[in-house]
Short mmCIF file of all heavy atoms in Angstrom, two decimals:
data_model
loop_
_atom_site.label_atom_id
_atom_site.label_comp_id
_atom_site.label_asym_id
_atom_site.label_seq_id
_atom_site.Cartn_x
_atom_site.Cartn_y
_atom_site.Cartn_z
N ASN A 347 -20.74 7.90 38.91
CA ASN A 347 -21.90 7.03 39.43
C ASN A 347 -23.12 7.78 39.42
O ASN A 347 -24.11 7.44 40.08
CB ASN A 347 -21.53 6.69 40.93
CG ASN A 347 -21.20 7.86 41.85
OD1 ASN A 347 -21.57 9.04 41.39
ND2 ASN A 347 -20.57 7.67 42.86
N GLU A 444 -15.57 -10.02 37.62
CA GLU A 444 -16.49 -9.43 38.56
C GLU A 444 -15.76 -8.79 39.66
O GLU A 444 -14.56 -9.13 39.95
CB GLU A 444 -17.53 -10.47 39.03
CG GLU A 444 -17.10 -11.49 39.98
CD GLU A 444 -18.17 -12.22 40.57
OE1 GLU A 444 -19.25 -12.37 39.92
OE2 GLU A 444 -17.94 -12.82 41.70
N TYR A 445 -16.35 -7.94 40.40
CA TYR A 445 -15.66 -7.33 41.60
C TYR A 445 -15.72 -8.29 42.83
O TYR A 445 -16.60 -9.26 42.82
CB TYR A 445 -16.48 -6.01 41.94
CG TYR A 445 -16.18 -4.91 40.94
CD1 TYR A 445 -16.97 -4.59 39.79
CD2 TYR A 445 -14.90 -4.16 41.13
CE1 TYR A 445 -16.63 -3.66 38.92
CE2 TYR A 445 -14.66 -3.23 40.13
CZ TYR A 445 -15.53 -2.88 39.10
OH TYR A 445 -15.19 -1.96 38.23
N GLY A 446 -14.84 -8.00 43.67
CA GLY A 446 -14.70 -8.73 44.87
C GLY A 446 -16.06 -8.67 45.81
O GLY A 446 -16.20 -9.67 46.61
N GLU A 447 -16.79 -7.70 45.56
CA GLU A 447 -18.03 -7.58 46.26
C GLU A 447 -19.14 -8.56 45.72
O GLU A 447 -20.19 -8.58 46.26
CB GLU A 447 -18.55 -6.15 46.24
CG GLU A 447 -17.66 -5.13 46.92
CD GLU A 447 -17.67 -5.27 48.50
OE1 GLU A 447 -18.77 -5.71 48.97
OE2 GLU A 447 -16.72 -4.97 49.05
N GLY A 448 -18.83 -9.23 44.65
CA GLY A 448 -19.69 -10.17 44.06
C GLY A 448 -20.75 -9.57 43.05
O GLY A 448 -21.69 -10.18 42.68
N ASP A 449 -20.44 -8.30 42.63
CA ASP A 449 -21.40 -7.66 41.62
C ASP A 449 -20.53 -7.15 40.41
O ASP A 449 -19.31 -7.36 40.43
CB ASP A 449 -22.06 -6.58 42.32
CG ASP A 449 -21.26 -5.51 42.90
OD1 ASP A 449 -20.05 -5.56 42.81
OD2 ASP A 449 -21.81 -4.66 43.69
N GLY A 450 -21.18 -6.47 39.61
CA GLY A 450 -20.52 -5.82 38.43
C GLY A 450 -19.97 -6.82 37.45
O GLY A 450 -18.94 -6.58 36.82
N GLN A 451 -20.61 -7.92 37.34
CA GLN A 451 -20.09 -8.93 36.41
C GLN A 451 -20.08 -8.34 35.03
O GLN A 451 -20.92 -7.68 34.50
CB GLN A 451 -21.03 -10.18 36.41
CG GLN A 451 -21.01 -10.96 37.66
CD GLN A 451 -21.91 -10.40 38.76
OE1 GLN A 451 -22.70 -9.48 38.56
NE2 GLN A 451 -21.91 -11.01 39.91
N GLU A 479 -22.84 -5.48 34.37
CA GLU A 479 -24.00 -5.39 35.39
C GLU A 479 -23.61 -4.21 36.36
O GLU A 479 -22.37 -3.84 36.46
CB GLU A 479 -24.08 -6.68 36.09
CG GLU A 479 -24.49 -7.85 35.29
CD GLU A 479 -25.78 -7.71 34.64
OE1 GLU A 479 -26.74 -7.07 35.26
OE2 GLU A 479 -25.93 -8.13 33.47
N ARG A 480 -24.61 -3.66 37.03
CA ARG A 480 -24.35 -2.58 37.99
C ARG A 480 -23.68 -2.96 39.11
O ARG A 480 -23.67 -4.22 39.56
CB ARG A 480 -25.72 -1.97 38.29
CG ARG A 480 -26.55 -2.72 39.26
CD ARG A 480 -27.41 -1.65 40.19
NE ARG A 480 -28.30 -0.84 39.52
CZ ARG A 480 -27.90 0.52 39.64
NH1 ARG A 480 -26.99 0.97 40.29
NH2 ARG A 480 -28.77 1.32 39.11
N THR A 481 -23.01 -2.05 39.93
CA THR A 481 -22.49 -2.19 41.12
C THR A 481 -23.16 -1.19 42.03
O THR A 481 -23.67 -0.13 41.57
CB THR A 481 -20.96 -2.04 41.22
OG1 THR A 481 -20.73 -0.67 40.90
CG2 THR A 481 -20.29 -2.88 40.23
N ILE A 482 -23.17 -1.39 43.33
CA ILE A 482 -23.67 -0.36 44.24
C ILE A 482 -22.57 -0.29 45.44
O ILE A 482 -22.18 -1.24 46.11
CB ILE A 482 -24.97 -0.90 44.98
CG1 ILE A 482 -26.03 -0.87 43.80
CG2 ILE A 482 -25.37 0.07 46.10
CD1 ILE A 482 -27.50 -1.26 44.34
N ARG A 483 -22.08 0.88 45.57
CA ARG A 483 -21.05 1.23 46.61
C ARG A 483 -21.67 2.44 47.31
O ARG A 483 -21.31 3.66 47.19
CB ARG A 483 -19.71 1.60 45.99
CG ARG A 483 -19.08 0.50 45.21
CD ARG A 483 -18.68 -0.69 46.00
NE ARG A 483 -18.03 -1.68 45.14
CZ ARG A 483 -18.76 -2.72 44.68
NH1 ARG A 483 -20.05 -2.88 44.79
NH2 ARG A 483 -18.07 -3.64 43.86
N ALA A 484 -22.55 2.08 48.22
CA ALA A 484 -23.31 3.23 48.92
C ALA A 484 -23.78 2.59 50.31
O ALA A 484 -23.67 1.46 50.59
CB ALA A 484 -24.47 3.62 48.07
N GLU A 485 -24.27 3.56 51.08
CA GLU A 485 -25.01 3.26 52.31
C GLU A 485 -26.42 3.72 52.06
O GLU A 485 -26.60 4.54 51.15
CB GLU A 485 -24.42 3.92 53.55
CG GLU A 485 -24.41 5.40 53.53
CD GLU A 485 -23.74 6.02 54.69
OE1 GLU A 485 -23.19 5.17 55.49
OE2 GLU A 485 -23.86 7.20 54.94
N GLU A 486 -27.37 3.24 52.77
CA GLU A 486 -28.75 3.70 52.61
C GLU A 486 -28.91 5.08 52.89
O GLU A 486 -28.15 5.78 53.70
CB GLU A 486 -29.69 2.84 53.61
CG GLU A 486 -31.09 3.24 53.45
CD GLU A 486 -31.63 3.12 51.98
OE1 GLU A 486 -31.79 2.06 51.41
OE2 GLU A 486 -31.93 4.31 51.44
N TYR A 537 -31.68 -0.44 47.88
CA TYR A 537 -31.20 1.04 48.18
C TYR A 537 -32.23 1.87 47.58
O TYR A 537 -32.38 1.94 46.36
CB TYR A 537 -29.77 1.19 47.69
CG TYR A 537 -28.78 0.55 48.35
CD1 TYR A 537 -28.48 -0.84 48.09
CD2 TYR A 537 -28.05 1.20 49.39
CE1 TYR A 537 -27.38 -1.50 48.77
CE2 TYR A 537 -27.10 0.51 50.09
CZ TYR A 537 -26.73 -0.78 49.78
OH TYR A 537 -25.88 -1.47 50.50
N GLN A 539 -31.51 5.08 47.26
CA GLN A 539 -30.64 5.89 46.48
C GLN A 539 -29.40 5.22 46.21
O GLN A 539 -28.37 5.20 46.96
CB GLN A 539 -30.29 7.28 47.35
CG GLN A 539 -29.44 8.17 46.52
CD GLN A 539 -30.00 8.60 45.26
OE1 GLN A 539 -31.06 9.24 45.21
NE2 GLN A 539 -29.30 8.36 44.20
N PRO A 540 -29.28 4.54 45.18
CA PRO A 540 -28.13 3.72 44.78
C PRO A 540 -27.08 4.60 44.22
O PRO A 540 -27.26 5.56 43.54
CB PRO A 540 -28.62 2.67 43.73
CG PRO A 540 -29.69 3.51 42.99
CD PRO A 540 -30.36 4.28 44.00
N TRP A 541 -25.76 4.23 44.47
CA TRP A 541 -24.67 4.86 43.92
C TRP A 541 -23.75 3.77 43.33
O TRP A 541 -23.38 2.79 44.13
CB TRP A 541 -23.90 5.63 44.84
CG TRP A 541 -24.77 6.77 45.41
CD1 TRP A 541 -25.55 6.85 46.52
CD2 TRP A 541 -24.98 8.06 44.87
NE1 TRP A 541 -26.10 8.01 46.76
CE2 TRP A 541 -25.81 8.82 45.82
CE3 TRP A 541 -24.47 8.75 43.68
CZ2 TRP A 541 -26.18 10.15 45.49
CZ3 TRP A 541 -24.96 10.13 43.41
CH2 TRP A 541 -25.77 10.76 44.36
N GLY A 542 -23.28 3.79 42.19
CA GLY A 542 -22.40 2.82 41.65
C GLY A 542 -22.26 2.84 40.15
O GLY A 542 -22.78 3.75 39.47
N GLN A 543 -21.51 1.78 39.72
CA GLN A 543 -21.39 1.63 38.30
C GLN A 543 -22.67 1.33 37.62
O GLN A 543 -23.34 0.39 38.11
CB GLN A 543 -20.29 0.57 37.94
CG GLN A 543 -20.29 0.09 36.57
CD GLN A 543 -19.41 -1.04 36.44
OE1 GLN A 543 -18.17 -0.91 36.32
NE2 GLN A 543 -19.91 -2.27 36.39
N ASN A 1090 -6.69 -3.56 41.16
CA ASN A 1090 -6.75 -3.22 42.67
C ASN A 1090 -6.69 -4.44 43.60
O ASN A 1090 -7.55 -4.64 44.35
CB ASN A 1090 -8.10 -2.43 42.81
CG ASN A 1090 -8.19 -1.67 44.16
OD1 ASN A 1090 -7.17 -1.64 44.93
ND2 ASN A 1090 -9.28 -1.09 44.42
N ASP A 1093 -7.37 -4.16 47.24
CA ASP A 1093 -8.78 -3.70 47.57
C ASP A 1093 -8.70 -2.32 48.15
O ASP A 1093 -9.24 -2.14 49.24
CB ASP A 1093 -9.51 -4.67 48.47
CG ASP A 1093 -11.00 -4.55 48.46
OD1 ASP A 1093 -11.41 -4.31 47.35
OD2 ASP A 1093 -11.66 -4.99 49.43
N GLU A 1094 -8.08 -1.44 47.56
CA GLU A 1094 -7.93 -0.07 48.18
C GLU A 1094 -9.18 0.83 47.71
O GLU A 1094 -9.70 0.68 46.51
CB GLU A 1094 -6.72 0.65 47.64
CG GLU A 1094 -5.44 -0.04 48.16
CD GLU A 1094 -5.22 0.11 49.64
OE1 GLU A 1094 -5.76 1.06 50.18
OE2 GLU A 1094 -4.66 -0.82 50.30
N TYR A 1095 -9.55 1.70 48.49
CA TYR A 1095 -10.67 2.70 48.23
C TYR A 1095 -10.21 4.06 48.59
O TYR A 1095 -9.38 4.32 49.53
CB TYR A 1095 -11.88 2.41 49.10
CG TYR A 1095 -12.66 1.14 48.64
CD1 TYR A 1095 -12.31 -0.07 49.03
CD2 TYR A 1095 -13.85 1.32 47.95
CE1 TYR A 1095 -12.98 -1.28 48.66
CE2 TYR A 1095 -14.53 0.26 47.48
CZ TYR A 1095 -14.18 -1.02 47.94
OH TYR A 1095 -14.92 -2.13 47.47
N PRO A 1096 -10.67 5.09 48.04
CA PRO A 1096 -10.39 6.52 48.41
C PRO A 1096 -11.01 6.76 49.73
O PRO A 1096 -11.92 5.90 50.28
CB PRO A 1096 -11.14 7.31 47.33
CG PRO A 1096 -11.46 6.35 46.20
CD PRO A 1096 -11.61 5.05 46.72
N VAL A 1098 -13.56 8.01 52.48
CA VAL A 1098 -15.08 8.29 52.40
C VAL A 1098 -15.27 9.81 52.72
O VAL A 1098 -14.51 10.28 53.63
CB VAL A 1098 -15.77 7.46 53.39
CG1 VAL A 1098 -17.10 7.85 53.55
CG2 VAL A 1098 -15.66 5.97 53.12
N VAL A 1106 -20.82 14.86 48.67
CA VAL A 1106 -21.40 13.57 48.88
C VAL A 1106 -22.71 13.78 49.65
O VAL A 1106 -22.86 14.79 50.44
CB VAL A 1106 -20.50 12.55 49.70
CG1 VAL A 1106 -19.33 12.09 48.95
CG2 VAL A 1106 -20.05 13.20 50.99
N CYS A 1107 -23.69 12.86 49.50
CA CYS A 1107 -24.84 13.05 50.11
C CYS A 1107 -25.75 11.81 49.86
O CYS A 1107 -25.56 11.08 48.80
CB CYS A 1107 -25.57 14.30 49.65
SG CYS A 1107 -27.44 14.43 50.03
N CYS A 1108 -26.70 11.65 50.77
CA CYS A 1108 -27.82 10.70 50.48
C CYS A 1108 -27.39 9.29 50.11
O CYS A 1108 -27.92 8.65 49.16
CB CYS A 1108 -28.67 11.36 49.34
SG CYS A 1108 -28.93 13.10 49.53
N GLY A 1109 -26.40 8.80 50.84
CA GLY A 1109 -25.92 7.44 50.57
C GLY A 1109 -24.59 7.46 49.75
O GLY A 1109 -24.03 6.41 49.71
N ASN A 1110 -24.31 8.46 49.07
CA ASN A 1110 -23.05 8.49 48.34
C ASN A 1110 -21.83 8.58 49.27
O ASN A 1110 -21.97 9.38 50.28
CB ASN A 1110 -23.14 9.78 47.37
CG ASN A 1110 -21.96 9.77 46.43
OD1 ASN A 1110 -21.21 8.92 46.25
ND2 ASN A 1110 -21.77 10.88 45.83
N LEU A 1111 -20.75 7.86 49.00
CA LEU A 1111 -19.62 7.83 49.75
C LEU A 1111 -18.41 8.52 49.08
O LEU A 1111 -17.56 8.96 49.90
CB LEU A 1111 -19.26 6.41 50.10
CG LEU A 1111 -20.30 5.56 50.82
CD1 LEU A 1111 -19.91 4.11 50.94
CD2 LEU A 1111 -20.60 6.19 52.09
N TYR A 1112 -18.31 8.55 47.78
CA TYR A 1112 -17.04 8.88 47.17
C TYR A 1112 -17.16 10.08 46.21
O TYR A 1112 -16.25 10.37 45.45
CB TYR A 1112 -16.47 7.63 46.46
CG TYR A 1112 -16.25 6.46 47.38
CD1 TYR A 1112 -17.08 5.43 47.23
CD2 TYR A 1112 -15.32 6.53 48.28
CE1 TYR A 1112 -16.98 4.30 48.05
CE2 TYR A 1112 -15.17 5.39 49.24
CZ TYR A 1112 -16.02 4.30 49.05
OH TYR A 1112 -15.85 3.19 49.78
N GLY A 1113 -18.30 10.80 46.19
CA GLY A 1113 -18.44 11.92 45.35
C GLY A 1113 -19.14 11.52 44.05
O GLY A 1113 -19.23 10.41 43.61
N ASP A 1119 -10.65 4.97 41.43
CA ASP A 1119 -11.42 3.76 41.47
C ASP A 1119 -12.00 3.67 42.88
O ASP A 1119 -11.36 3.59 43.95
CB ASP A 1119 -10.54 2.54 41.19
CG ASP A 1119 -11.32 1.22 41.31
OD1 ASP A 1119 -12.54 1.31 41.15
OD2 ASP A 1119 -10.71 0.17 41.45
N TRP A 1120 -13.40 3.57 42.98
CA TRP A 1120 -14.05 3.41 44.24
C TRP A 1120 -14.95 2.24 44.31
O TRP A 1120 -15.85 2.07 45.03
CB TRP A 1120 -14.89 4.61 44.54
CG TRP A 1120 -15.53 5.20 43.32
CD1 TRP A 1120 -15.23 6.16 42.49
CD2 TRP A 1120 -16.86 4.65 42.71
NE1 TRP A 1120 -16.05 6.46 41.51
CE2 TRP A 1120 -17.13 5.34 41.61
CE3 TRP A 1120 -17.73 3.57 42.97
CZ2 TRP A 1120 -18.19 5.21 40.65
CZ3 TRP A 1120 -18.77 3.33 42.13
CH2 TRP A 1120 -19.00 4.16 40.96
N GLN A 1121 -14.57 1.12 43.52
CA GLN A 1121 -15.37 -0.11 43.46
C GLN A 1121 -14.63 -1.32 44.03
O GLN A 1121 -15.24 -2.36 44.11
CB GLN A 1121 -15.76 -0.38 42.03
CG GLN A 1121 -16.66 0.80 41.56
CD GLN A 1121 -17.33 0.45 40.18
OE1 GLN A 1121 -18.51 -0.13 40.22
NE2 GLN A 1121 -16.55 0.66 39.04
N GLY A 1122 -13.33 -1.18 44.40
CA GLY A 1122 -12.64 -2.25 44.98
C GLY A 1122 -12.03 -3.29 43.97
O GLY A 1122 -11.81 -2.96 42.82
N ARG A 1123 -11.56 -4.37 44.59
CA ARG A 1123 -10.87 -5.35 43.87
C ARG A 1123 -11.77 -6.01 42.66
O ARG A 1123 -13.02 -6.22 42.92
CB ARG A 1123 -10.46 -6.52 44.79
CG ARG A 1123 -9.59 -7.65 44.17
CD ARG A 1123 -9.37 -8.77 45.19
NE ARG A 1123 -8.58 -8.27 46.29
CZ ARG A 1123 -9.06 -8.27 47.61
NH1 ARG A 1123 -10.36 -8.63 47.89
NH2 ARG A 1123 -8.27 -7.81 48.60
N TYR A 1124 -11.09 -6.28 41.51
CA TYR A 1124 -11.78 -6.85 40.36
C TYR A 1124 -11.02 -8.03 39.93
O TYR A 1124 -9.73 -7.85 39.61
CB TYR A 1124 -11.96 -5.79 39.38
CG TYR A 1124 -12.67 -6.14 38.03
CD1 TYR A 1124 -14.02 -6.22 38.05
CD2 TYR A 1124 -12.02 -6.63 36.92
CE1 TYR A 1124 -14.72 -6.60 36.95
CE2 TYR A 1124 -12.71 -7.11 35.80
CZ TYR A 1124 -14.08 -7.04 35.81
OH TYR A 1124 -14.73 -7.56 34.75
#
Side-chain angles (χ1 to χ4, degrees):
N347 52 21
E444 72 173 26
Y445 285 95
E447 296 288 332
D449 59 5
Q451 294 83 3
E479 299 297 326
R480 76 146 54 246
T481 64
I482 295 181
R483 300 292 182 268
E485 62 181 8
E486 180 50 70
Y537 290 84
Q539 178 62 60
W541 301 93
Q543 168 186 280
N1090 193 4
D1093 204 28
E1094 295 292 330
Y1095 286 82
V1098 173
V1106 292
C1107 165
C1108 317
N1110 186 13
L1111 300 174
Y1112 305 108
D1119 178 23
W1120 39 260
Q1121 299 193 91
R1123 184 187 295 116
Y1124 182 83

